Amino acid sequence: MVPVEAPYDDRVLHQRVVGGDESALGEIYDRLSSLIFGLSLRVTRDRVIAEDITQEVFLVFWERPLAYDPERGTLRAWLATIAHRRAVDHVRAEERRRVSALGPRLFEREPARPEDTVLAADEAERVRQAVTALPGSLREALELAYFRGRTYRQVGEELGMPEGTAKSRIRLALRRLADALAEEEV
């Protein structure tokens, strides 16, 4: 990676903040706060939260100015990255809170009828048999991807093959599985 040089102004202001110069932080705030606020607002869609994130970003910079490395990019980009991450984190946390507030009601269903339970068990057994009937290399790749939640790259690493090969095996296994189950009308 080729180092990106920050503008001279960023370097000088950064050094002043490192030295505890509050007026340098004020200059940076005046120059970049609207960018940080706008970015935060665009992600969160909430003015109050965007204001809080803007304040947090500058507080982080004030408290830990050495976390910024002028050799890696501009101060503008670094602060915008922090703001974006915090805004996304806020949106995700809010979504988790909203879902957990729904609690078990979110997943409530009417009780299954006995005949539906029997049919589902029968279908599950047929799928299990079809997976077992796959050739070993296809079955291993499919099991890692679908039953153990591995990515194509992870499947490839675990089976000692390139990612593209792992992807091809998984797709072929799915195609064969679909064909076998179609024959059984599952």
Side-chain angles (χ1 to χ4, degrees), residues 106-121:
L106 182 65
F107 301 102
E108 283 178 3
R109 295 182 181 164
E110 58 185 67
R113 298 181 320 202
E115 58 270 21
D116 292 340
T117 304
V118 170
L119 287 174

Side-chain angles (χ1 to χ4, degrees), residues 4 20 39 42-43 49 60 62 76 87 98 108 117 127 146:
V4 177
L39 177 63
R42 199 167 33 254
V43 173
I49 300 300
V60 165
W62 177 249
R76 171 191 178 96
R98 202 168 48 75
E108 283 178 3
T117 304
V127 170
Y146 284 90

Side-chain angles (χ1 to χ4, degrees), residues 20-38:
D21 183 351
E22 289 181 32
S23 66
L25 181 66
E27 289 177 45
I28 294 168
Y29 183 87
D30 290 343
R31 194 173 76 198
L32 299 176
S33 63
S34 62
L35 167 76
I36 301 304
F37 174 77

